[in-house]
Amino acid sequence: QVKLLESGGGSVQAGGALRLSCAASGYTYSTYCMGWFRQAQGKEREGVATIDHDGTTSYADSVEGRFTISVDNAKNTLYLQMNSLKPEDTAMYYCAARGVGSGGYCLADFDYWGQGTQVTVSS
């Protein structure tokens, strides 16, 4: 059974940094495509960053240049390094996983989700 467990959230002042971690069990990251999402109170969930099984990354415009997604395959752990944090980054952050299709491309839907970790950035 695939399980994802996030950690590393907390409260920081604007301009500060946090590193989120997502530990996986039940599969290895090298066979899945991963992503970080967030949901602020009263708002819809939005994608933050993704990393494919081949290492290709993508970022939302709002975090480009400030956040970095990475994977440590030896530890089966996904990371999100968040620098220069802003109050608008305040949200619950979730990691998620989706499989790889027979053509070697990431499937469209994220099937596995963690429980989330709260990030609060004060001005």
Side-chain angles (χ1 to χ4, degrees), residues 30-121:
S30 60
T31 61
Y32 276 78
C33 302
M34 304 299 299
W36 285 100
F37 294 78
R38 67 186 181 186
Q39 187 168 19
Q41 194 169 6
K43 296 186 177 181
E44 293 186 355
R45 186 175 62 199
E46 63 175 350
V48 175
T50 63
I51 183 166
D52 294 350
H53 60 295
D54 62 0
T56 301
T57 60
S58 65
Y59 297 91
D61 290 344
S62 59
V63 307
E64 181 82 50
R66 299 188 298 122
F67 290 11
T68 303
I69 188 171
S70 63
V71 169
D72 185 331
N73 287 319
K75 296 182 178 180
N76 226 29
T77 301
L78 176 74
Y79 299 101
L80 184 69
Q81 178 66 44
M82 306 185 295
N83 299 327
S84 302
L85 283 162
K86 304 176 181 180
E88 51 263 44
D89 295 319
T90 295
M92 184 72 79
Y93 283 72
Y94 301 88
C95 68
R98 54 183 174 174
V100 178
S102 58
Y105 296 99
C106 300
L107 297 178
D109 297 327
F110 284 87
D111 294 322
Y112 305 102
W113 294 82
Q115 88 292 343
T117 185
Q118 178 68 37
V119 172
T120 303
V121 185

Side-chain angles (χ1 to χ4, degrees), residues 3-28:
K3 291 185 178 179
L4 302 173
L5 182 63
E6 302 96 335
S7 61
S11 298
V12 296
Q13 290 189 328
L18 285 173
R19 188 178 78 159
L20 305 184
S21 300
C22 176
S25 60
Y27 73 99
T28 57

